[in-house]
Amino acid sequence: MKWLSCCLLLGLWAPMVLAKALCPEPIQVGYDNWPPYHYYEADSPQEVRGYAAEVLTAVLTSMHCKVNYVELPWKRVLHEMEYGEIDMAMEANINDERARYAWFSDSYNPGRTLLWIRKGSHYPEQDLTSWLASGYSLGVTKEYFYGDEVMSLLARYAKQVSAVSDQQNYEKLARGRIDGFLGDMLATPSALNKEGMSGLFTSHPMVVSESPSFFMLGKRSFSPQFLQQFNQALARFKETNAYDIIWQRYAPGR
């Protein structure tokens, strides 16, 4: 019986020991200041907060790995990951170029793009194709990629679409110069709140597109075995109340 108990104990601890052995110490996570996914408050720049950062910290902590967040421009995060200076990144999409030097975790964020309209507006259309076909004008974020299907649709209705900054979209919608704009499910409410405009707009029930987000793990820093352990820990954490609390903090009512 004593031998069986020891074996069971070793079985429970084995994944944790393996993960810890495969962890760089500490794991260097590159990020840019993009609320509510990963950001810091001006009065406490050493404390990184946000949906993605809090999920990542919880998962790595459960694996007994230490983490250090390093603020860098996004392009530099990718460059330094390629050469092994940065170990991980958050809120990443998969493409062939990144797959050369990084592993991707299982997805953790649905990455929904929504249509934002003035409060009190009523549009019965159930999809963006029908909405644009009705002649409405749309603002999009300049140089942002919404996925092949949406980009093709935007090109088809190019005369009704204007590509500007997020702030310009907010101002144009407030003044009635456009009928709606495309924005991220979590980032848009955060930005509107910062601009003092959260009471002006609401999201249409339609989901324009989904582009799931992943954690990127540099191949110079991590083995496939670590990726497997990480995905298992991520799946376990997403089943907990702690994860639900984080999600509701940044996506209330969604």
Side-chain angles (χ1 to χ4, degrees):
M1 183 63 70
K2 183 176 181 181
W3 176 84
L4 179 59
S5 297
C6 289
C7 288
L8 290 173
L9 184 61
L10 287 172
L12 291 172
W13 278 85
M16 185 195 74
V17 172
L18 175 59
K20 184 173 177 61
L22 297 173
C23 281
E25 289 290 342
I27 293 173
Q28 303 292 327
V29 179
Y31 80 101
D32 53 355
N33 202 40
W34 187 35
Y37 290 108
H38 29 77
Y39 67 97
Y40 59 84
E41 301 288 357
D43 58 350
S44 56
Q46 301 304 317
E47 183 182 357
V48 180
R49 303 175 183 175
Y51 167 66
E54 290 173 32
V55 170
L56 180 58
T57 297
V59 172
L60 292 176
T61 298
S62 75
M63 299 172 69
H64 292 256
C65 298
K66 296 180 180 179
V67 59
N68 180 54
Y69 288 95
V70 182
E71 185 184 10
L72 295 169
W74 177 242
K75 289 185 178 180
R76 188 173 166 192
V77 170
L78 298 178
H79 179 270
E80 295 204 4
M81 179 177 289
E82 182 175 4
Y83 293 96
E85 299 298 322
I86 288 294
D87 303 313
M88 294 187 71
M90 301 172 282
E91 283 301 302
N93 299 120
I94 299 175
N95 62 38
D96 292 340
E97 169 62 20
R98 296 173 186 175
R100 288 192 306 103
Y101 56 85
W103 311 110
F104 290 86
S105 72
D106 293 338
S107 65
Y108 64 93
N109 175 24
R112 293 191 183 107
T113 294
L114 305 179
L115 172 65
W116 295 85
I117 57 178
R118 288 183 297 274
K119 282 189 175 179
S121 300
H122 176 68
Y123 299 106
E125 293 81 8
Q126 298 300 306
D127 56 68
L128 188 61
T129 301
S130 301
W131 193 83
L132 286 169
S134 296
Y136 299 116
S137 57
L138 178 70
V140 299
T141 302
K142 188 177 181 180
E143 298 181 353
Y144 187 87
F145 181 71
Y146 294 95
D148 292 331
E149 184 176 345
V150 174
M151 297 303 289
S152 176
L153 179 64
L154 297 179
R156 194 189 320 165
Y157 291 94
K159 292 183 179 180
Q160 296 167 228
V161 177
S162 61
V164 295
S165 71
D166 290 334
Q167 288 75 15
Q168 287 173 309
N169 276 324
Y170 307 157
E171 293 170 3
K172 290 176 72 173
L173 183 56
R175 296 175 181 175
R177 293 171 57 192
I178 55 175
D179 298 299
F181 63 83
L182 300 186
D184 180 81
M185 175 179 66
L186 302 189
T188 299
S190 177
L192 290 175
N193 184 61
K194 183 178 179 182
E195 296 292 328
M197 305 177 76
S198 57
L200 300 180
F201 311 132
T202 188
S203 58
H204 190 283
M206 75 171 72
V207 175
V208 174
S209 65
E210 287 195 354
S211 180
S213 299
F214 308 83
F215 294 115
M216 283 180 67
L217 294 78
K219 290 183 177 180
R220 288 178 178 264
S221 304
F222 300 103
S223 67
Q225 291 87 351
F226 181 89
L227 176 64
Q228 181 181 24
Q229 293 290 322
F230 181 87
N231 282 332
Q232 291 171 354
L234 175 61
R236 288 193 299 268
F237 182 65
K238 289 178 69 175
E239 296 297 322
T240 66
N241 289 334
Y243 173 80
D244 293 337
I245 290 171
I246 293 173
W247 176 253
Q248 288 302 320
R249 183 183 302 137
Y250 295 105
R254 297 194 181 279

